[in-house]
Amino acid sequence: MAEAKFSQDEHLETELRIVAQPHQSIAAWEMETDVPNLVAKAYGTVLELGPGSGNQLPRYDNSKIERIYGIEPNVYLHCALRNKIKKHGLSDVYTIVPCGVEDLEKLREYGIGPETIDTVTSVQVLCSVPKPAALVKSLYRLLKPGGQMIIYEHVKSKDYLSQLVQMIYNTVWPYAIGNCHLDRPTGKYLLEAGSWSTIELKTPKEEDACMVLPRVSGRLVKWGASVE
């Protein structure tokens, strides 16, 4: 039992260092994950959830992009985001939308409505949105038939002891880390959002069962003919 507890503490210490680091360090850490390859699969009209200061911008394949809507409610990040947009040659195609993705009325002002989006990208965002199950269903409705959702999110652990640790830390974690919740079953929300023709989701490996922040990553494609 003591050995398992040490392993959990070690994992959590690593995650805390990542969260506390500047955006540049987080971007460097993401290079060791599936994130760059996943983001490079985005195409067409893209809805990017929570772009922050623009970590994902250099990972898009510009030749496949028609338009990107960056849903970023934190206006204090917009200046850094605009600089990154210009730096990576996306000024003509990238629009910052200053609201939460749950604000469907505001999204409609930008022409974002049912079946208008080819790709939704969500990198460590769904942990902090309000009413995540309902929100994921809304995102599904925004996708065109054949559209895809690209995901890299931390989720509720399948390990009982890790669930207990998540529950304890979750009493303070959302208040310290921007409403981030450690124990959301985001994979379940995604699978239940609608009918998918393709489900390519990686779930935590058995040896990662004790992680306090296990992650689900991959791609889901909505039923219908793809434009890609």
Side-chain angles (χ1 to χ4, degrees), residues 50-62:
S53 61
N55 284 353
Q56 307 312 324
L57 299 191
R59 297 164 184 166
Y60 286 107
D61 181 344
N62 292 9

Side-chain angles (χ1 to χ4, degrees), residues 212-225:
V212 177
L213 288 177
R215 288 175 171 83
V216 62
S217 63
R219 173 176 169 267
L220 303 97
V221 179
K222 185 175 181 177
W223 272 105

